[in-house]
């Protein structure tokens, strides 16, 4: 992960002074669990270039993690390589002088001087489409170039890769340019390694001063940096009070009251409110609606004694199905050991309950055939297929239909058309790990492919609130094996 800062033309030589780094010396420090190095590859009055390179310690990255000893995902994530919120945390101490605009007194007049800058950083792993990435920076006056790596694939994946390198070119003060990057780099990634707390609200307000308020993608930036609706509301309230007071600082007691609550809770609900007014009716979550729809579908089936819940996660759906009359056996299949441990805790609470069976956790994946899962009454893939690369999905489904051969297969997946109702960008996906999302027509065509080839019929429905022209937020397909005449 790296950031290259290049200045050319008038004032280029001042770059090293604004960064408070001697261009003739190598800056080499350990910050948290990473090695941060800064080297000047060019240093003259006409052109100066500083390369900031970070090498995290992969062992330190997982220390203290609750999943470090129970889950293999620590070995297959990209946090060690991509330019993200972690990267900003690592380099902030090294760039503190420039970020705060406080070089030596002799160079203070240059803090507000615009320079001809080129900023290159990456790799960035973002689920945002190229167009949106470009709009985030062109709105700030930069020319934008997006590049992908030179790796060659035997199939056309390069142009669909979420990993890109970003190069910006424009006239800007170094302080403002860095502050913009420290807001936007974490916004590009769909992952943050720290809690969203009062400090984060203050940071966005401080670094966003003078440019964020008028940015056309301001709502998207706040959504991806502050995450939770309640926190965003408090940010807006603080911004409004600041502007209404003619730029005066907000009283510290008011600020504390405004952000008081569980902002720093990592699992706060997106629609969590911090208002002190009368409580609202609890909102029904889409996930609960999906589980209820699947449970109702299973209950209506004649053959439902044996169930396979693929990608069962923490076992919520399996626990619900355990109460459906007529169900005798549930295999909750999940590759994550951490999720399985939580599922086992949930299943243990079902022991001894009248009319309830206890699901059996199974370590497994759709990519590995398990003979014990064949010929079951029901197989469920709830919000699973969109996490599989499209070029691999066909092979997985062939295994499901031809080898496992369930009497009934239930699949749910997001309806891409409904993303517009959520005011999402056209190519934005609902989750950072989604490899694709289909509209109703595409999903219907895909389902027809399997009914024709393997002797199943399919019924397609929607789950969640229906909107004219967009359908429902979730699609559900119920495949039923057709009986063959003897």
């Amino acid at each position: 992960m790296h950031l290259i800062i290049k200045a050319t033309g008038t004032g280029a030589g001042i770059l090293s002074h604004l960064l408070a780094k001697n261009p003739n010396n190598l800056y080499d420090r350990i910050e948290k669990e990473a090695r941060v190095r800064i080297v000047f590859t060019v240093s003259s009055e006409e052109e100066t270039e500083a390369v900031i390179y970070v090498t995290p310690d992969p062992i330190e990255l997982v220390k203290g993690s609750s999943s470090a000893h129970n889950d293999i995902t620590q070995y297959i994530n990209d946090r060690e390589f991509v330019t993200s919120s972690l990267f900003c945390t690592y380099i902030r101490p090294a760039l503190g002088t420039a970020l705060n605009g406080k070089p030596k007194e002799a160079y203070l007049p240059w803090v507000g001087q615009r320079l001809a800058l080129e900023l290159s950083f990456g790799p960035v792993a973002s689920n945002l489409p190229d167009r949106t990435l470009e709009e985030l920076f062109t709105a700030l006056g930069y020319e934008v170039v997006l590049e992908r790596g030179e790796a060659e694939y035997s199939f056309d994946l390069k142009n669909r890769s979420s990993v890109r390198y970003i190069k910006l070119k424009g006239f800007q003060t170094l302080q403002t340019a860095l502050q913009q990057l420290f807001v936007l780099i974490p916004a590009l990634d769909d992952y943050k390694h720290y809690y969203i707390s009062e400090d984060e609200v203050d940071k966005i307000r401080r670094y966003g001063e003078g440019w964020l308020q008028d940015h056309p993608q301001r709502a998207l930036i706040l959504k991806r940096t502050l995450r939770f609706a309640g926190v965003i509301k408090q940010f807006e309230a603080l911004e409004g009070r600041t502007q209404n007071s003619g730029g005066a600082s907000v009283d510290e007691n008011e600020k504390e009251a405004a952000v008081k609550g569980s902002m720093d809770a990592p699992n706060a609900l997106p629609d969590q409110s911090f208002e002190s007014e009368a409580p609202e009716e609890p909102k029904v979550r889409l996930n609960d609606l999906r589980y209820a729809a699947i449970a109702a579908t299973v209950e209506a089936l004649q053959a439902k004694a044996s169930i396979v819940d693929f990608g069962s996660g923490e076992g919520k759906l399996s626990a619900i199905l355990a109460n459906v009359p007529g169900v005798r056996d549930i295999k909750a299949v999940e590759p994550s050991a951490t999720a399985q441990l939580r599922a086992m805790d949930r299943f243990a609470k079902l022991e001894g309950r009248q009319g309830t069976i206890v699901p059996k956790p199974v370590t497994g994946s759709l990519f590995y055939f398990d003979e014990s899962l064949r010929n079951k009454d029901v197989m469920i893939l709830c919000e699973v297929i969109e996490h599989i690369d499209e070029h691999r999905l066909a092979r997985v489904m062939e295994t499901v239909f031809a080898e496992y051969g369930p009497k009934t297969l239930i699949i749910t997946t997001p309806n891409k058309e409904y993303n517009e109702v959520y005011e999402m960008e056209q190519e934005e996906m609902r989750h950072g790990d989604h490899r694709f999302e289909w509209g109703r027509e595409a999903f219907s065509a895909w389902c027809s492919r399997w009914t024709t080839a393997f002797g199943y019929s399919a019924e397609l429905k929607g789950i969640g609130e229906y909107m004219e022209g967009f359908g429902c937020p979730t699609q559900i397909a119920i495949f039923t094996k057709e009986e063959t005449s003897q």
Side-chain angles (χ1 to χ4, degrees):
M1 53 181 79
H2 71 269
L3 167 63
I4 302 174
I5 306 172
K6 182 178 179 181
T8 56
T10 304
I14 209 72
L15 181 65
S16 62
H17 298 290
L18 294 176
L19 292 171
K21 300 293 180 291
N22 187 332
N24 298 313
N25 295 336
L26 170 67
Y27 177 95
D28 193 344
R29 301 284 191 278
I30 300 296
E31 297 292 348
K32 300 185 184 299
E33 61 270 6
R35 184 179 182 184
V36 179
R37 284 167 285 186
I38 302 178
V39 62
F40 285 80
T41 56
V42 181
S43 179
S44 71
E45 292 304 312
E46 297 77 28
E47 181 179 342
T48 302
E49 181 178 82
V51 179
I52 305 164
Y53 189 78
V54 177
T55 309
D57 184 330
I59 304 301
E60 292 294 330
L61 275 175
V62 299
K63 278 188 176 179
S65 170
S66 61
S67 63
H69 302 293
N70 302 318
D71 206 324
I72 65 169
T73 54
Q74 60 173 305
Y75 299 109
I76 56 175
N77 67 73
D78 58 11
R79 298 300 97 185
E80 182 185 348
F81 310 104
V82 298
T83 301
S84 63
S85 60
L86 276 169
F87 176 75
C88 293
T89 300
Y90 296 146
I91 68 174
R92 184 177 288 111
L95 300 181
T97 299
L99 271 169
N100 296 320
K102 295 182 178 180
K104 291 183 178 180
E105 187 173 355
Y107 307 107
L108 280 174
W110 285 94
V111 171
Q113 181 68 42
R114 291 175 179 262
L115 304 174
L117 295 176
E118 289 185 20
L119 307 166
S120 306
F121 57 95
V124 171
S126 178
N127 62 350
L128 294 175
D130 288 356
R131 178 177 57 82
T132 302
L133 288 180
E134 291 171 353
E135 289 173 351
L136 286 171
F137 294 102
T138 55
L140 299 173
Y142 294 107
E143 296 177 19
V144 183
V145 176
L146 302 180
E147 298 177 343
R148 287 175 167 82
E150 297 298 326
E152 296 183 359
Y153 299 100
S154 57
F155 35 78
D156 183 21
L157 277 184
K158 181 177 177 180
N159 291 335
R160 290 186 287 158
S161 172
S162 65
V163 178
R164 282 148 287 184
Y165 294 86
I166 300 176
K167 181 182 292 185
L168 310 176
K169 187 175 181 180
F171 285 88
Q172 187 54 272
T173 69
L174 177 64
Q175 182 184 18
T176 299
L178 289 176
Q179 289 179 344
Q180 290 168 344
L181 292 185
F182 271 68
V183 172
L184 293 178
I185 286 177
L188 301 181
D189 203 1
D190 197 43
Y191 165 89
K192 272 196 174 180
H193 72 284
Y194 50 81
Y195 292 169
I196 307 299
S197 66
E198 178 182 348
D199 291 341
E200 187 74 356
V201 174
D202 286 340
K203 186 190 78 175
I204 301 300
R205 292 180 61 228
R206 187 171 67 253
Y207 289 169
E209 184 177 1
W211 64 272
L212 182 55
Q213 181 64 34
D214 299 322
H215 197 293
Q217 296 282 6
R218 179 176 180 274
L220 176 66
I221 295 170
L222 292 180
K223 175 183 175 182
R224 294 179 67 92
T225 53
L226 298 179
R227 305 296 184 189
F228 307 124
V231 185
I232 294 173
K233 287 178 182 178
Q234 302 314 317
F235 176 90
E236 299 281 13
L238 290 172
E239 285 287 278
R241 280 203 285 272
T242 302
Q243 293 167 13
N244 292 338
S245 61
S249 61
V250 179
D251 179 81
E252 286 301 312
N253 291 329
E254 289 187 17
K255 182 177 74 173
E256 182 179 354
V259 297
K260 187 177 181 181
S262 55
M263 271 196 315
D264 55 348
N267 296 318
L269 296 177
D271 57 347
Q272 186 172 355
S273 172
F274 299 95
E275 304 291 340
S276 58
E277 300 173 359
E280 298 179 357
E281 289 293 322
K283 296 181 179 180
V284 179
R285 300 180 64 182
L286 180 57
N287 205 41
D288 295 332
L289 293 177
R290 278 195 292 263
Y291 292 165
I294 293 172
T297 300
V298 171
E299 188 168 2
L301 296 174
Q302 289 187 342
K304 54 192 170 187
S306 55
I307 297 177
V308 176
D309 180 11
F310 255 120
S312 57
E314 297 178 6
K316 295 179 181 179
L317 176 58
S318 292
I320 292 172
L321 295 174
N323 294 289
V324 174
V327 175
R328 298 288 179 263
D329 177 71
I330 300 175
K331 287 183 167 52
V333 184
E334 170 61 39
S336 167
T338 300
Q340 271 201 342
L341 287 172
R342 293 171 180 165
M344 291 169 68
D345 288 340
R346 176 173 279 109
F347 298 158
K349 296 175 183 178
L350 302 178
E351 294 278 359
R353 289 191 184 181
Q354 187 69 29
T356 301
I357 67 165
V358 179
K360 302 178 181 63
V362 176
T363 300
S365 164
L366 281 166
F367 296 107
Y368 302 100
F369 179 71
D370 186 339
E371 180 76 22
S372 68
L373 307 181
R374 294 188 64 188
N375 302 319
K376 301 301 182 182
D377 291 324
V378 184
M379 183 169 285
I380 301 169
L381 278 63
C382 178
E383 306 299 288
V384 169
I385 63 170
E386 63 273 9
H387 293 270
I388 302 173
D389 292 318
E390 282 192 74
H391 70 276
R392 304 178 73 187
L393 183 57
R395 180 64 62 86
V396 167
M397 297 312 299
E398 286 175 2
T399 300
V400 169
F401 285 106
E403 300 296 333
Y404 289 133
K407 293 182 175 68
T408 300
L409 172 67
I410 301 172
I411 296 178
T412 72
T413 193
N415 172 19
K416 179 181 179 179
E417 298 167 63
Y418 206 87
N419 291 354
E420 189 171 342
V421 178
Y422 292 140
E423 298 182 354
M424 296 171 60
E425 294 293 319
Q426 185 175 2
E427 296 303 321
E428 185 181 359
M429 297 191 192
R430 297 187 199 174
H431 190 279
D433 190 49
H434 286 186
R435 310 307 169 89
F436 64 86
E437 288 176 0
W438 289 328
R440 289 169 291 174
E441 184 177 344
F443 185 54
S444 177
W446 180 81
C447 291
S448 297
R449 168 184 177 182
W450 304 110
T451 58
T452 302
F454 291 99
Y456 281 77
S457 60
E459 180 183 9
L460 274 62
K461 299 179 180 179
I463 300 174
E465 183 180 4
Y466 176 84
M467 295 290 287
E468 188 66 37
F470 303 102
C472 298
T474 294
Q475 308 182 78
I476 181 171
I478 305 164
F479 294 86
T480 304
K481 182 183 287 188
E482 296 178 344
E483 295 184 7
T484 58
S485 57
Q486 299 296 329

